[in-house]
Amino acid sequence: MTMTKPTSAFDAAAMLTQVQTWSAINTGTANLAGLAEQAAALAGAFGALPGTVERVDPAPVTAIAADGSAFDKPHGQHLVVRVRPQANRRILLTGHMDTVFPADHAFQSPRWLDAETLNGPGVADMKGGIAVMLHALLAFEQTPDAASLGYDVLINADEETGSLASNALIAQLAAGKLAALTYEPAALPDGTLAHERGGTGNYSITFTGKSAHAGRNPHDGRNAIVAAADLILRLKALEREDITINPAKLEGGAANNVVPDHAVLRFNIRPKSTTAMEGFERDLSTLLGDIETDHQVTAHRHGGVTRPPKKVDAAAQKLFDLVRQCGVELGQDIRWQSSGGVCDGNNIAACGVPVVDTMGVRGGAIQSPQEYLIVPSLVTRAALSARVIERLSQGVLNQGTPA
Ligand SMILES: [Zn+2]
């Protein structure tokens, strides 16, 4: 039996006001003041749930500067809400408060495109999704089954740059959960979910050669730029059907009359399978050794895969089927397709927890100034989530209590 409210019972006006208010707060991943303001607003909103709300410090993250030196990259605090942590059945709900629009970007506030379409930073990705999550939980709390399900909510502050400061927290919160729901916007404006996803990794390679005068003693030099260029071509040659490699930025060099002793190469990989991911790691180690030998430079490697490829196993497929069934009951036709994008769903799936990671709003043009939210989807997607959560509270995944 399902007791969740009909869609007419959701407070559409309250959801819209939250999205508009939150969209007007700049939360570029590097804007710590904006993120703190957003976290305070979210703490207030999620305080309506019967649990504890806490701010968690970001994990330290080291990055590589253009000169090859390591530095600490600051991040905002994450928000964690815990409701009924003693419950046998528990799930994880995740979202992110950061956006890709920095504090000095021209795109800062929402505006109407037409009566049902709101344009604004984060309205779809994913401040709208956070409103969907919150109101689904508020509706679920009104059902008789609420007492039988506990849940943790994580809203991190660094998803758009790879969740390096929240990865460990995600893994910690995923442990012991029977399922997870993540509130990225639907993969398509019609509400289609993202199913399997490829993975991603980011690397910085610092080359150190030997400086020399280009005229007097060039043969004494060891050219770091040439070594980096050689690596770029060899990396590109590693591309296969199940992995692409994008050499993205080469920094370093010296004056025209100097053999350059320094370079930093940045590149991204997109493995489609665990096999491809692991194969690349082995190939890269071999390549770096070869480059060091062939060019008599040192090549120091930083970074790696941050989001492993996300496969949909049998347990995860059951969760997709549940979402579709709940859609049928609500008159919503829910489909799915694989995606080339990545999100925290990759990291949750890597913990062995079934996850549907596009439970958020319908909308589109995300990560651009054309980003839009189809406003009526706030309520329809909240109704969908509330029903899925209620079904999970009834034990429909039939997985028993996780060890
Ligand atoms: Zn997102």
Side-chain angles (χ1 to χ4, degrees):
M1 192 175 64
T2 294
M3 304 289 287
T4 39
K5 299 194 281 186
T7 53
S8 59
F10 284 86
D11 190 343
M15 296 178 80
L16 176 59
T17 300
Q18 282 171 333
V19 175
Q20 289 171 310
T21 305
W22 298 342
S23 173
I25 302 172
N26 178 278
T27 56
T29 314
N31 181 2
L32 303 192
L35 289 165
E37 185 185 348
Q38 180 71 69
L42 291 173
F46 280 80
L49 294 169
T52 59
V53 180
E54 149 189 31
R55 251 128 330 156
V56 178
D57 284 336
V61 174
T62 304
I64 301 297
D67 67 358
S69 62
F71 67 98
D72 287 331
K73 200 171 170 187
H75 289 92
Q77 286 186 310
H78 315 300
L79 195 79
V80 175
V81 183
R82 289 186 171 87
V83 175
R84 291 181 293 276
Q86 311 306 329
N88 284 334
R89 283 189 196 118
R90 292 195 301 147
I91 64 170
L92 172 65
L93 301 100
T94 79
H96 63 83
M97 67 180 95
D98 62 323
T99 70
V100 298
F101 307 105
D104 60 357
H105 197 285
F107 187 43
Q108 294 293 349
S109 54
R111 68 186 178 107
W112 289 98
L113 296 183
D114 61 43
E116 293 198 335
T117 315
L118 189 69
N119 162 243
V123 290
D125 184 16
M126 64 158 58
K127 293 173 182 184
I130 294 172
V132 167
M133 182 210 293
L134 172 60
H135 287 262
L137 290 170
L138 290 170
F140 171 67
E141 289 296 337
Q142 302 304 312
T143 69
D145 291 314
S148 60
L149 186 79
Y151 52 87
D152 292 341
V153 172
L154 167 66
I155 301 176
N156 56 6
D158 67 330
E159 196 276 343
E160 295 292 5
T161 54
S163 303
L164 299 178
S166 57
N167 264 339
L169 183 59
I170 292 170
Q172 182 194 325
L173 292 172
K177 300 301 196 298
L178 64 92
L181 302 171
T182 295
Y183 285 80
E184 293 292 347
L188 295 177
D190 70 0
T192 296
L193 306 172
H195 197 241
E196 295 194 329
R197 292 177 181 275
T200 188
N202 290 306
Y203 299 76
S204 299
I205 312 290
T206 304
F207 299 86
T208 307
K210 191 175 166 204
S211 187
H213 192 277
R216 282 197 304 269
N217 61 339
H219 301 298
D220 293 337
R222 299 292 177 263
N223 192 315
I225 291 281
V226 172
D230 192 8
L231 180 64
I232 288 172
L233 295 176
R234 296 196 205 188
L235 282 172
K236 206 59 192 162
L238 291 177
E239 284 199 335
R240 302 282 182 272
E241 184 150 340
D242 58 0
I243 186 168
T244 54
I245 299 153
N246 184 47
K249 192 173 193 180
L250 178 57
E251 296 167 287
N256 259 0
N257 61 350
V258 174
V259 176
D261 65 350
H262 165 73
V264 178
L265 171 66
R266 327 258 183 191
F267 65 93
N268 174 261
I269 67 167
R270 299 282 171 152
K272 290 188 184 142
S273 66
T274 307
T275 311
M277 174 180 85
E278 292 169 351
F280 178 81
E281 285 289 326
R282 283 193 300 274
D283 290 343
L284 178 61
S285 296
T286 306
L287 268 190
L288 291 180
D290 292 348
I291 292 285
E292 287 187 321
T293 305
D294 295 353
H295 295 272
Q296 294 181 280
V297 298
T298 62
H300 177 76
R301 168 209 152 137
H302 183 270
V305 169
T306 52
R307 301 198 189 279
K310 180 194 140 197
K311 290 290 169 196
V312 174
D313 62 12
Q317 187 56 50
K318 279 181 85 170
L319 185 60
F320 274 91
D321 292 341
L322 172 65
V323 175
R324 179 161 60 188
Q325 180 56 37
C326 290
V328 168
E329 293 165 16
L330 293 165
Q332 300 181 24
D333 182 20
I334 303 294
R335 298 157 188 268
W336 47 75
Q337 65 180 31
S338 62
S339 168
V342 293
C343 72
D344 285 337
N346 290 68
N347 304 69
I348 294 167
C351 298
V353 175
V355 57
V356 174
D357 57 26
T358 38
M359 293 298 290
V361 298
R362 293 166 50 218
I366 61 169
Q367 307 197 344
S368 84
Q370 286 74 46
E371 176 175 0
Y372 67 92
L373 159 67
I374 299 169
V375 173
S377 74
L378 288 170
V379 165
T380 55
R381 298 292 274 199
L384 178 66
S385 262
R387 185 156 299 213
V388 169
I389 296 165
E390 187 180 21
R391 287 281 195 254
L392 290 170
S393 77
Q394 295 163 347
V396 292
L397 284 191
N398 200 24
Q399 286 181 264
T401 307

PDB file of all heavy atoms in Angstrom, residues 51-79:
ATOM      1  N   GLY A  51      16.042  15.038  12.032  1.00  0.00           N
ATOM      2  CA  GLY A  51      17.376  14.466  12.216  1.00  0.00           C
ATOM      3  C   GLY A  51      18.372  15.533  12.604  1.00  0.00           C
ATOM      4  O   GLY A  51      18.019  16.650  12.975  1.00  0.00           O
ATOM      5  N   THR A  52      19.654  15.177  12.485  1.00  0.00           N
ATOM      6  CA  THR A  52      20.714  16.119  12.814  1.00  0.00           C
ATOM      7  C   THR A  52      21.306  16.686  11.530  1.00  0.00           C
ATOM      8  O   THR A  52      21.417  15.992  10.523  1.00  0.00           O
ATOM      9  CB  THR A  52      21.846  15.427  13.602  1.00  0.00           C
ATOM     10  OG1 THR A  52      22.360  14.352  12.791  1.00  0.00           O
ATOM     11  CG2 THR A  52      21.324  14.852  14.907  1.00  0.00           C
ATOM     12  N   VAL A  53      21.676  17.953  11.568  1.00  0.00           N
ATOM     13  CA  VAL A  53      22.291  18.619  10.421  1.00  0.00           C
ATOM     14  C   VAL A  53      23.679  19.072  10.846  1.00  0.00           C
ATOM     15  O   VAL A  53      23.831  19.711  11.894  1.00  0.00           O
ATOM     16  CB  VAL A  53      21.463  19.840   9.974  1.00  0.00           C
ATOM     17  CG1 VAL A  53      22.122  20.516   8.771  1.00  0.00           C
ATOM     18  CG2 VAL A  53      20.030  19.438   9.653  1.00  0.00           C
ATOM     19  N   GLU A  54      24.670  18.709  10.052  1.00  0.00           N
ATOM     20  CA  GLU A  54      26.038  18.999  10.464  1.00  0.00           C
ATOM     21  C   GLU A  54      26.842  19.481   9.267  1.00  0.00           C
ATOM     22  O   GLU A  54      26.596  19.077   8.136  1.00  0.00           O
ATOM     23  CB  GLU A  54      26.579  17.689  11.070  1.00  0.00           C
ATOM     24  CG  GLU A  54      28.007  17.426  10.940  1.00  0.00           C
ATOM     25  CD  GLU A  54      28.378  15.984  11.389  1.00  0.00           C
ATOM     26  OE1 GLU A  54      27.579  15.029  11.264  1.00  0.00           O
ATOM     27  OE2 GLU A  54      29.504  15.862  11.830  1.00  0.00           O
ATOM     28  N   ARG A  55      27.793  20.383   9.511  1.00  0.00           N
ATOM     29  CA  ARG A  55      28.722  20.788   8.463  1.00  0.00           C
ATOM     30  C   ARG A  55      30.030  20.047   8.658  1.00  0.00           C
ATOM     31  O   ARG A  55      30.535  20.002   9.766  1.00  0.00           O
ATOM     32  CB  ARG A  55      28.938  22.297   8.483  1.00  0.00           C
ATOM     33  CG  ARG A  55      28.279  22.909   7.297  1.00  0.00           C
ATOM     34  CD  ARG A  55      27.334  24.052   7.401  1.00  0.00           C
ATOM     35  NE  ARG A  55      26.495  24.292   8.517  1.00  0.00           N
ATOM     36  CZ  ARG A  55      26.022  25.493   8.801  1.00  0.00           C
ATOM     37  NH1 ARG A  55      26.361  26.517   8.076  1.00  0.00           N
ATOM     38  NH2 ARG A  55      25.198  25.658   9.814  1.00  0.00           N
ATOM     39  N   VAL A  56      30.547  19.471   7.570  1.00  0.00           N
ATOM     40  CA  VAL A  56      31.750  18.637   7.653  1.00  0.00           C
ATOM     41  C   VAL A  56      32.864  19.296   6.846  1.00  0.00           C
ATOM     42  O   VAL A  56      32.657  19.688   5.688  1.00  0.00           O
ATOM     43  CB  VAL A  56      31.466  17.221   7.100  1.00  0.00           C
ATOM     44  CG1 VAL A  56      32.717  16.358   7.126  1.00  0.00           C
ATOM     45  CG2 VAL A  56      30.338  16.555   7.895  1.00  0.00           C
ATOM     46  N   ASP A  57      34.026  19.409   7.455  1.00  0.00           N
ATOM     47  CA  ASP A  57      35.157  20.035   6.768  1.00  0.00           C
ATOM     48  C   ASP A  57      35.575  19.236   5.533  1.00  0.00           C
ATOM     49  O   ASP A  57      35.521  18.009   5.542  1.00  0.00           O
ATOM     50  CB  ASP A  57      36.353  20.153   7.721  1.00  0.00           C
ATOM     51  CG  ASP A  57      36.174  21.282   8.722  1.00  0.00           C
ATOM     52  OD1 ASP A  57      35.405  22.217   8.421  1.00  0.00           O
ATOM     53  OD2 ASP A  57      36.788  21.214   9.804  1.00  0.00           O
ATOM     54  N   PRO A  58      36.016  19.925   4.496  1.00  0.00           N
ATOM     55  CA  PRO A  58      36.502  19.226   3.299  1.00  0.00           C
ATOM     56  C   PRO A  58      37.803  18.491   3.595  1.00  0.00           C
ATOM     57  O   PRO A  58      38.588  18.932   4.436  1.00  0.00           O
ATOM     58  CB  PRO A  58      36.740  20.372   2.311  1.00  0.00           C
ATOM     59  CG  PRO A  58      36.996  21.572   3.176  1.00  0.00           C
ATOM     60  CD  PRO A  58      36.141  21.382   4.398  1.00  0.00           C
ATOM     61  N   ALA A  59      38.014  17.369   2.911  1.00  0.00           N
ATOM     62  CA  ALA A  59      39.299  16.683   3.018  1.00  0.00           C
ATOM     63  C   ALA A  59      40.357  17.523   2.309  1.00  0.00           C
ATOM     64  O   ALA A  59      40.053  18.224   1.345  1.00  0.00           O
ATOM     65  CB  ALA A  59      39.202  15.296   2.383  1.00  0.00           C
ATOM     66  N   PRO A  60      41.611  17.479   2.798  1.00  0.00           N
ATOM     67  CA  PRO A  60      42.660  18.250   2.121  1.00  0.00           C
ATOM     68  C   PRO A  60      42.901  17.740   0.697  1.00  0.00           C
ATOM     69  O   PRO A  60      42.845  16.532   0.449  1.00  0.00           O
ATOM     70  CB  PRO A  60      43.899  18.029   3.006  1.00  0.00           C
ATOM     71  CG  PRO A  60      43.565  16.961   3.969  1.00  0.00           C
ATOM     72  CD  PRO A  60      42.088  16.759   3.983  1.00  0.00           C
ATOM     73  N   VAL A  61      43.107  18.672  -0.224  1.00  0.00           N
ATOM     74  CA  VAL A  61      43.343  18.324  -1.629  1.00  0.00           C
ATOM     75  C   VAL A  61      44.602  19.034  -2.098  1.00  0.00           C
ATOM     76  O   VAL A  61      44.744  20.249  -1.917  1.00  0.00           O
ATOM     77  CB  VAL A  61      42.150  18.738  -2.520  1.00  0.00           C
ATOM     78  CG1 VAL A  61      42.469  18.502  -3.991  1.00  0.00           C
ATOM     79  CG2 VAL A  61      40.894  17.996  -2.113  1.00  0.00           C
ATOM     80  N   THR A  62      45.514  18.282  -2.685  1.00  0.00           N
ATOM     81  CA  THR A  62      46.755  18.850  -3.212  1.00  0.00           C
ATOM     82  C   THR A  62      46.655  18.959  -4.727  1.00  0.00           C
ATOM     83  O   THR A  62      46.215  18.023  -5.386  1.00  0.00           O
ATOM     84  CB  THR A  62      47.950  17.946  -2.849  1.00  0.00           C
ATOM     85  OG1 THR A  62      47.974  17.789  -1.434  1.00  0.00           O
ATOM     86  CG2 THR A  62      49.257  18.557  -3.305  1.00  0.00           C
ATOM     87  N   ALA A  63      47.038  20.094  -5.261  1.00  0.00           N
ATOM     88  CA  ALA A  63      47.069  20.284  -6.712  1.00  0.00           C
ATOM     89  C   ALA A  63      48.483  20.701  -7.119  1.00  0.00           C
ATOM     90  O   ALA A  63      49.311  21.007  -6.266  1.00  0.00           O
ATOM     91  CB  ALA A  63      46.064  21.343  -7.123  1.00  0.00           C
ATOM     92  N   ILE A  64      48.732  20.679  -8.421  1.00  0.00           N
ATOM     93  CA  ILE A  64      50.060  21.008  -8.946  1.00  0.00           C
ATOM     94  C   ILE A  64      50.003  22.345  -9.684  1.00  0.00           C
ATOM     95  O   ILE A  64      49.198  22.530 -10.598  1.00  0.00           O
ATOM     96  CB  ILE A  64      50.537  19.902  -9.918  1.00  0.00           C
ATOM     97  CG1 ILE A  64      50.593  18.544  -9.194  1.00  0.00           C
ATOM     98  CG2 ILE A  64      51.898  20.253 -10.514  1.00  0.00           C
ATOM     99  CD1 ILE A  64      51.580  18.476  -8.055  1.00  0.00           C
ATOM    100  N   ALA A  65      50.848  23.286  -9.269  1.00  0.00           N
ATOM    101  CA  ALA A  65      50.916  24.597  -9.909  1.00  0.00           C
ATOM    102  C   ALA A  65      51.693  24.507 -11.223  1.00  0.00           C
ATOM    103  O   ALA A  65      52.326  23.493 -11.509  1.00  0.00           O
ATOM    104  CB  ALA A  65      51.583  25.601  -8.965  1.00  0.00           C
ATOM    105  N   ALA A  66      51.642  25.596 -12.007  1.00  0.00           N
ATOM    106  CA  ALA A  66      52.309  25.605 -13.308  1.00  0.00           C
ATOM    107  C   ALA A  66      53.815  25.395 -13.181  1.00  0.00           C
ATOM    108  O   ALA A  66      54.459  24.890 -14.098  1.00  0.00           O
ATOM    109  CB  ALA A  66      52.020  26.932 -14.019  1.00  0.00           C
ATOM    110  N   ASP A  67      54.383  25.773 -12.019  1.00  0.00           N
ATOM    111  CA  ASP A  67      55.833  25.583 -11.848  1.00  0.00           C
ATOM    112  C   ASP A  67      56.163  24.192 -11.308  1.00  0.00           C
ATOM    113  O   ASP A  67      57.317  23.909 -10.990  1.00  0.00           O
ATOM    114  CB  ASP A  67      56.402  26.675 -10.926  1.00  0.00           C
ATOM    115  CG  ASP A  67      55.897  26.555  -9.494  1.00  0.00           C
ATOM    116  OD1 ASP A  67      55.075  25.645  -9.208  1.00  0.00           O
ATOM    117  OD2 ASP A  67      56.322  27.363  -8.646  1.00  0.00           O
ATOM    118  N   GLY A  68      55.135  23.336 -11.179  1.00  0.00           N
ATOM    119  CA  GLY A  68      55.372  21.968 -10.740  1.00  0.00           C
ATOM    120  C   GLY A  68      55.263  21.777  -9.237  1.00  0.00           C
ATOM    121  O   GLY A  68      55.284  20.649  -8.751  1.00  0.00           O
ATOM    122  N   SER A  69      55.125  22.872  -8.481  1.00  0.00           N
ATOM    123  CA  SER A  69      55.047  22.739  -7.025  1.00  0.00           C
ATOM    124  C   SER A  69      53.637  22.331  -6.604  1.00  0.00           C
ATOM    125  O   SER A  69      52.654  22.655  -7.269  1.00  0.00           O
ATOM    126  CB  SER A  69      55.437  24.059  -6.351  1.00  0.00           C
ATOM    127  OG  SER A  69      54.524  25.073  -6.724  1.00  0.00           O
ATOM    128  N   ALA A  70      53.552  21.610  -5.491  1.00  0.00           N
ATOM    129  CA  ALA A  70      52.261  21.177  -4.964  1.00  0.00           C
ATOM    130  C   ALA A  70      51.705  22.258  -4.047  1.00  0.00           C
ATOM    131  O   ALA A  70      52.459  22.938  -3.349  1.00  0.00           O
ATOM    132  CB  ALA A  70      52.425  19.874  -4.208  1.00  0.00           C
ATOM    133  N   PHE A  71      50.397  22.449  -4.076  1.00  0.00           N
ATOM    134  CA  PHE A  71      49.787  23.412  -3.149  1.00  0.00           C
ATOM    135  C   PHE A  71      48.442  22.863  -2.678  1.00  0.00           C
ATOM    136  O   PHE A  71      47.845  22.007  -3.329  1.00  0.00           O
ATOM    137  CB  PHE A  71      49.617  24.784  -3.812  1.00  0.00           C
ATOM    138  CG  PHE A  71      48.617  24.823  -4.930  1.00  0.00           C
ATOM    139  CD1 PHE A  71      47.321  25.272  -4.703  1.00  0.00           C
ATOM    140  CD2 PHE A  71      48.955  24.404  -6.220  1.00  0.00           C
ATOM    141  CE1 PHE A  71      46.393  25.307  -5.741  1.00  0.00           C
ATOM    142  CE2 PHE A  71      48.033  24.440  -7.258  1.00  0.00           C
ATOM    143  CZ  PHE A  71      46.753  24.893  -7.016  1.00  0.00           C
ATOM    144  N   ASP A  72      47.990  23.363  -1.519  1.00  0.00           N
ATOM    145  CA  ASP A  72      46.700  22.933  -0.972  1.00  0.00           C
ATOM    146  C   ASP A  72      45.579  23.735  -1.627  1.00  0.00           C
ATOM    147  O   ASP A  72      45.621  24.961  -1.651  1.00  0.00           O
ATOM    148  CB  ASP A  72      46.662  23.165   0.546  1.00  0.00           C
ATOM    149  CG  ASP A  72      47.532  22.154   1.271  1.00  0.00           C
ATOM    150  OD1 ASP A  72      47.690  21.033   0.754  1.00  0.00           O
ATOM    151  OD2 ASP A  72      48.061  22.502   2.351  1.00  0.00           O
ATOM    152  N   LYS A  73      44.586  23.023  -2.145  1.00  0.00           N
ATOM    153  CA  LYS A  73      43.471  23.689  -2.809  1.00  0.00           C
ATOM    154  C   LYS A  73      42.294  23.739  -1.825  1.00  0.00           C
ATOM    155  O   LYS A  73      41.809  22.681  -1.404  1.00  0.00           O
ATOM    156  CB  LYS A  73      43.083  22.869  -4.041  1.00  0.00           C
ATOM    157  CG  LYS A  73      42.310  23.638  -5.070  1.00  0.00           C
ATOM    158  CD  LYS A  73      42.195  22.787  -6.324  1.00  0.00           C
ATOM    159  CE  LYS A  73      41.224  23.404  -7.299  1.00  0.00           C
ATOM    160  NZ  LYS A  73      40.974  22.516  -8.428  1.00  0.00           N
ATOM    161  N   PRO A  74      41.849  24.930  -1.443  1.00  0.00           N
ATOM    162  CA  PRO A  74      40.766  25.011  -0.453  1.00  0.00           C
ATOM    163  C   PRO A  74      39.401  24.651  -1.045  1.00  0.00           C
ATOM    164  O   PRO A  74      39.165  24.834  -2.235  1.00  0.00           O
ATOM    165  CB  PRO A  74      40.804  26.479  -0.020  1.00  0.00           C
ATOM    166  CG  PRO A  74      41.412  27.204  -1.170  1.00  0.00           C
ATOM    167  CD  PRO A  74      42.328  26.249  -1.869  1.00  0.00           C
ATOM    168  N   HIS A  75      38.515  24.118  -0.206  1.00  0.00           N
ATOM    169  CA  HIS A  75      37.149  23.785  -0.632  1.00  0.00           C
ATOM    170  C   HIS A  75      36.167  24.195   0.451  1.00  0.00           C
ATOM    171  O   HIS A  75      36.560  24.423   1.597  1.00  0.00           O
ATOM    172  CB  HIS A  75      37.020  22.278  -0.897  1.00  0.00           C
ATOM    173  CG  HIS A  75      37.726  21.819  -2.123  1.00  0.00           C
ATOM    174  ND1 HIS A  75      39.020  21.359  -2.111  1.00  0.00           N
ATOM    175  CD2 HIS A  75      37.313  21.773  -3.416  1.00  0.00           C
ATOM    176  CE1 HIS A  75      39.387  21.050  -3.357  1.00  0.00           C
ATOM    177  NE2 HIS A  75      38.376  21.282  -4.161  1.00  0.00           N
ATOM    178  N   GLY A  76      34.887  24.249   0.078  1.00  0.00           N
ATOM    179  CA  GLY A  76      33.845  24.575   1.050  1.00  0.00           C
ATOM    180  C   GLY A  76      33.477  23.373   1.903  1.00  0.00           C
ATOM    181  O   GLY A  76      33.841  22.231   1.604  1.00  0.00           O
ATOM    182  N   GLN A  77      32.741  23.665   2.984  1.00  0.00           N
ATOM    183  CA  GLN A  77      32.265  22.583   3.859  1.00  0.00           C
ATOM    184  C   GLN A  77      31.098  21.851   3.212  1.00  0.00           C
ATOM    185  O   GLN A  77      30.317  22.434   2.455  1.00  0.00           O
ATOM    186  CB  GLN A  77      31.802  23.163   5.196  1.00  0.00           C
ATOM    187  CG  GLN A  77      32.936  23.602   6.110  1.00  0.00           C
ATOM    188  CD  GLN A  77      32.388  24.026   7.465  1.00  0.00           C
ATOM    189  OE1 GLN A  77      31.456  24.818   7.545  1.00  0.00           O
ATOM    190  NE2 GLN A  77      32.972  23.495   8.530  1.00  0.00           N
ATOM    191  N   HIS A  78      30.979  20.580   3.544  1.00  0.00           N
ATOM    192  CA  HIS A  78      29.863  19.756   3.074  1.00  0.00           C
ATOM    193  C   HIS A  78      28.769  19.713   4.142  1.00  0.00           C
ATOM    194  O   HIS A  78      29.042  19.901   5.324  1.00  0.00           O
ATOM    195  CB  HIS A  78      30.341  18.331   2.782  1.00  0.00           C
ATOM    196  CG  HIS A  78      31.625  18.278   2.008  1.00  0.00           C
ATOM    197  ND1 HIS A  78      31.763  18.844   0.757  1.00  0.00           N
ATOM    198  CD2 HIS A  78      32.841  17.754   2.326  1.00  0.00           C
ATOM    199  CE1 HIS A  78      33.004  18.639   0.331  1.00  0.00           C
ATOM    200  NE2 HIS A  78      33.680  17.991   1.260  1.00  0.00           N
ATOM    201  N   LEU A  79      27.542  19.430   3.701  1.00  0.00           N
ATOM    202  CA  LEU A  79      26.416  19.325   4.628  1.00  0.00           C
ATOM    203  C   LEU A  79      26.014  17.858   4.743  1.00  0.00           C
ATOM    204  O   LEU A  79      25.849  17.178   3.724  1.00  0.00           O
ATOM    205  CB  LEU A  79      25.238  20.142   4.088  1.00  0.00           C
ATOM    206  CG  LEU A  79      24.123  20.426   5.092  1.00  0.00           C
ATOM    207  CD1 LEU A  79      24.549  21.572   6.009  1.00  0.00           C
ATOM    208  CD2 LEU A  79      22.830  20.809   4.374  1.00  0.00           C
TER     209      LEU A  79
END
